[in-house]
Amino acid sequence: MYANRAFGFWTDAPAEPFFEPSLVARAKTLREWRIAYTRKALRFGKELGALNVSITSGRALNGMPPEKALKLLQEGLSRLLEDAERLQQ
C-alpha cells in the first residue's frame, strides 16, 4: 500500500515541495502531523491486509543541515517502526 498525499489534490500545485509536511520538516508540529498521518496509514493498511506501507521522508528544505535532517528522519522512523511492529502482532 502506498499512502501519500496525491499530487492531484492541488488545483494550483506549488512548484515545490510536494511532500510537506515531512518527517524532516523544520517545525516540530509539522513533523508530528506527518507521524500522525503515517500512523493512520499503518492502521488502514492493516485493515486492508496490506503486507507493507510505503511512505516518503520528504526533503531537507530551507537550509536544514543534512546531519539534523538525518537525525529527525531516524527519530521519526523509529517511532513509526514501533507502531508497525505492534500492528503486526
Side-chain angles (χ1 to χ4, degrees):
M1 183 180 111
Y2 184 71
N4 208 326
R5 294 180 300 143
F7 176 74
F9 172 81
W10 300 98
T11 56
D12 59 344
E16 186 70 27
F18 294 119
F19 299 111
E20 290 298 314
S22 72
L23 293 174
V24 297
R26 290 180 75 81
K28 182 176 181 168
T29 56
L30 296 178
R31 291 192 309 274
E32 291 299 324
W33 182 93
R34 174 55 81 172
I35 287 171
Y37 175 87
T38 305
R39 284 177 168 154
K40 289 177 187 176
L42 291 169
R43 290 190 302 270
F44 185 55
K46 179 176 177 128
E47 289 179 28
L48 293 176
L51 299 177
N52 63 57
V53 174
S54 298
I55 63 170
T56 185
S57 63
R59 311 181 8 193
L61 300 173
N62 302 325
M64 165 87 62
E67 311 80 37
K68 172 85 173 172
L70 179 59
K71 182 176 183 233
L72 293 173
L73 177 61
Q74 290 170 331
E75 289 171 359
L77 288 175
S78 176
R79 292 169 61 190
L80 292 168
L81 286 171
E82 289 173 8
D83 292 337
E85 288 173 352
R86 273 194 299 276
L87 288 168
Q88 281 185 320
Q89 298 173 5

